[in-house]
Amino acid sequence: ETGVTQTPRHLVMGMTNKKSLKCEQHLGHNAMYWYKQSAKKPLELMFVYNFKEQTENNSVPSRFSPECPNSSHLFLHLHTLQPEDSALYLCASSPGASQPQHFGDGTRLSIL
Amino acid sequence: GIQVEQSPPDLILQEGANSTLRCNFSDSVNNLQWFHQNPWGQLINLFYIPSGTKQNGRLSATTVATERYSLLYISSSQTTDSGVYFCAVGGSGGSNYKLTFGKGTLLTVNP
């Protein structure tokens, strides 16, 4: 139990579907992150939120839309995804900048 | 941006052996973490170690920030140590939130 919970654990969707990934942290942290891990590639940072404000968008396509309603919850809304978006999506949280990041178990996403 | 190189890319050990994994980085850092990713994809924190030495059971890590490298030591390896070990760094310039990950070391421990 890492204190960061992601749902669902697995998701299969068509390219025209709309779905959302959810992340919740129980660590009292202020910063939350979305990362993408594709096969044969290092983990890539997608978005960072600190105190609900987006502080980083790592040139992510607009078909990925993050939402952070409070410091404990983070969503990633997905629409019209492409097959190359199939990957493991990991959420993380940290107390603040330059502090250790704690990861959830990930959502394994497959685009048909 | 900051570059992170891990070596070796693959490592096969017999149970009980010791090993050293290396992480080189290209710039000064405010954050350095070692992670273990198990076969189910879970990414487990091992160490937060931007400098100095830490030990946790059979694992220890050392970061020499002035020389821009970190080492992860695994002693008396067990089959449950198998998986991918990642080094991730946060640079001291620019974004203080971003972690840049290396490509990892795939460790296989055979019984």
Side-chain angles (χ1 to χ4, degrees):
Chain A
E1 178 58 48
T2 66
V4 181
T5 303
Q6 289 187 240
T7 54
R9 292 295 309 277
H10 302 272
L11 179 61
V12 180
M13 57 188 286
M15 289 191 286
T16 58
N17 292 153
K18 291 185 180 180
K19 296 287 185 183
S20 296
L21 310 184
K22 179 183 177 182
C23 177
E24 182 175 2
Q25 58 97 1
H26 309 276
L27 300 170
H29 291 169
N30 297 316
M32 296 190 76
Y33 311 75
W34 280 117
Y35 285 85
K36 176 183 178 181
Q37 187 178 27
S38 303
K40 311 292 185 185
K41 293 177 71 175
L43 275 83
E44 302 171 87
L45 178 66
M46 299 175 72
F47 302 103
V48 180
Y49 279 81
N50 184 42
F51 289 104
K52 303 187 301 178
E53 299 298 320
Q54 188 178 118
T55 60
E56 188 129 0
N57 177 338
N58 206 27
S59 302
V60 180
S62 59
R63 56 186 184 269
F64 296 92
S65 175
E67 178 190 2
C68 188
N70 54 60
S71 294
S72 299
H73 294 85
L74 184 65
F75 297 89
L76 188 63
H77 304 301
L78 316 172
H79 62 98
T80 58
L81 295 193
Q82 305 299 310
E84 62 265 26
D85 297 323
S86 298
L88 180 67
Y89 289 84
L90 290 156
C91 173
S93 70
S94 71
S98 301
Q99 295 293 302
Q101 295 183 21
H102 299 259
F103 284 76
D105 290 345
T107 295
R108 196 166 294 280
L109 176 66
S110 297
I111 306 301
L112 300 179
Chain B
I2 196 167
Q3 305 297 312
V4 182
E5 291 187 7
Q6 291 186 242
S7 59
D10 300 277
L11 184 59
I12 300 175
L13 300 175
Q14 287 300 122
E15 201 166 25
N18 302 327
S19 62
T20 301
L21 281 58
R22 187 176 179 102
C23 172
N24 292 333
F25 43 93
S26 61
D27 207 342
S28 56
V29 298
N30 283 339
N31 185 354
L32 190 146
Q33 292 183 248
W34 283 98
F35 296 92
H36 174 215
Q37 189 168 40
N38 63 26
W40 297 271
Q42 296 171 317
L43 203 61
I44 309 300
N45 274 316
L46 297 178
F47 295 102
Y48 169 75
I49 189 165
S51 64
T53 297
K54 291 185 178 179
Q55 180 156 6
N56 184 2
R58 296 182 295 102
L59 302 181
S60 64
T62 294
T63 296
V64 183
T66 53
E67 297 187 23
R68 300 180 181 170
Y69 72 89
S70 183
L71 302 174
L72 178 68
Y73 305 95
I74 305 174
S75 64
S76 304
S77 57
Q78 301 175 357
T79 56
T80 52
D81 294 332
S82 296
V84 183
Y85 289 80
F86 289 104
C87 169
V89 304
S92 58
S95 169
N96 289 325
Y97 294 93
K98 182 175 182 176
L99 275 183
T100 300
F101 281 74
K103 294 182 179 180
T105 292
L106 175 60
L107 175 65
T108 303
V109 181
N110 293 320

